Amino acid sequence: MASNKSLVPEAKEALARFKMEAANEVGVNLKQGYNGDLTSKQAGSVGGQMVKNKCPARTIKFERDYRIADGHKVEVRYTYSVIV
């Protein structure tokens, strides 16, 4: 059964600050407490920014020899996320 209780009560304030910072970054004005007047788009952009900041994607780009045509190069790009 799901619960709204925090496993680490001290983290509640830090999470609230993190949410406010993410909201400021995307231009959404959050109030302390209830924010039920936000549109789904606004709320989603705040949540998306939080995920983006918590789990940033990294991209590695390099060139390698093209396997079919001698003397040609091909650009290879890998994108990944590190979750801690």
Side-chain angles (χ1 to χ4, degrees):
M1 179 186 220
S3 171
N4 280 345
K5 291 184 180 181
S6 177
L7 294 176
V8 183
E10 299 83 19
K12 189 173 186 175
E13 186 177 323
L15 189 57
R17 279 194 316 270
F18 181 49
K19 187 190 310 182
M20 288 294 202
E21 289 171 12
N24 286 335
E25 288 174 9
V26 294
V28 174
N29 294 321
L30 287 184
K31 305 179 295 274
Q32 291 292 341
Y34 182 71
N35 284 287
D37 56 334
L38 293 179
T39 65
S40 296
K41 183 177 180 178
Q42 290 171 318
S45 66
V46 172
Q49 186 70 16
M50 290 174 73
V51 170
K52 183 179 173 184
N53 287 344
K54 184 168 177 2
C55 311
R58 302 285 187 241
T59 301
I60 297 174
K61 185 172 77 171
F62 60 93
E63 283 189 351
R64 66 166 172 77
D65 291 333
Y66 190 53
R67 294 181 182 137
I68 298 173
D70 288 337
H72 288 73
K73 299 281 185 185
V74 65
E75 183 178 286
V76 180
R77 181 181 300 197
Y78 293 102
T79 302
Y80 63 95
S81 293
V82 177
I83 301 173
V84 180

